[in-house]
Amino acid sequence: MNISAALLAGGESRRMGQDKATLVLHGKPLWQIQLDLLRKLRPREIFLSARSDPVWRPADVHFVPDQAPSRGPLSGLAATLSRIGTNHLLALAIDMPLMTEDFLRLLCDVIKPSSGVVPMIGDRAEPLAAIYPKGADNDLNAALSGPDFSLQSLAKKLIAVGKLRLVRVSKNEENNFRNFNWPGDFVSSW
């Protein structure tokens, strides 16, 4: 597949109380679950966006430090998008371990040369499991230098200018986007 992929793992895990990436779900740490999923798509390159380079990062995964000062996932997306060697970046959050290969393949199948896709649940974009076109790097950098660091706002702007297209998420697919933010989220997972 002629895309790049990025695992976004730069959060502070404040609600969880410890680094989410190393928490174990069904016998595997979240970082391994998500990287295994991305590898199934066979992207040309895989990046890890984080505040610092973790000891668990596999050698074939390129580390990209979040742009300082950190502005949440926007910093990681901007830094990674500027480094890709393809025309699209599939971004996936570390704390979304119920995402499926089938759904990500669906997203990959509907991208266009100059536009990516963002899933929508109701009127809310899901920008942490989306595909961004390389041409959106200027928009992300502009957002970093402005007062609004919300990925929801950025997604709306990218949709308005045609750099992102919407993919509606069915009721059956909504669970793919469940974030694991609290220790209790691991109790009733699958």
Side-chain angles (χ1 to χ4, degrees), residues 54-151:
V55 297
W56 51 259
R57 179 182 57 85
D60 65 328
V61 174
H62 309 284
F63 171 66
V64 178
D66 287 358
Q67 288 184 327
S70 180
R71 302 293 187 215
L74 178 60
S75 296
L77 280 171
T80 306
L81 197 57
S82 69
R83 294 188 183 191
I84 66 173
T86 64
N87 290 326
H88 291 90
L89 175 67
L90 185 153
L92 180 62
I94 191 88
D95 62 358
M96 210 176 284
L98 303 182
M99 182 53 64
T100 66
E101 178 184 356
D102 288 342
F103 190 84
L104 292 180
R105 284 194 184 283
L106 179 141
L107 293 182
C108 292
D109 289 345
V110 298
I111 58 176
K112 301 284 184 200
S114 62
S115 70
V117 291
V118 62
M120 293 288 286
I121 297 176
D123 63 349
R124 185 162 176 79
E126 292 292 341
L128 298 181
I131 300 178
Y132 296 86
K134 185 156 181 73
D137 57 347
N138 291 333
D139 302 273
L140 273 72
N141 286 316
L144 278 175
S145 63
D148 183 3
F149 309 120
S150 163
L151 284 179

Side-chain angles (χ1 to χ4, degrees), residues 7 20-40 48 56-58 61 92 94 97:
L7 180 57
K20 289 183 205 178
T22 58
L23 292 173
V24 175
L25 179 67
H26 301 289
K28 286 183 166 181
L30 291 187
W31 69 263
Q32 186 176 6
I33 292 169
Q34 297 303 71
L35 283 178
D36 288 350
L37 176 58
L38 291 175
R39 283 189 173 105
K40 288 178 184 177
L48 172 68
W56 51 259
R57 179 182 57 85
V61 174
L92 180 62
I94 191 88

Side-chain angles (χ1 to χ4, degrees), residues 163-180:
K163 291 182 181 176
L164 286 181
R165 293 179 310 113
L166 304 177
V167 171
R168 293 280 171 202
V169 175
S170 73
K171 283 282 184 206
N172 292 340
E173 297 165 329
E174 286 182 11
N175 199 44
N176 295 351
F177 296 88
R178 192 170 135 215
N179 293 98
F180 282 48

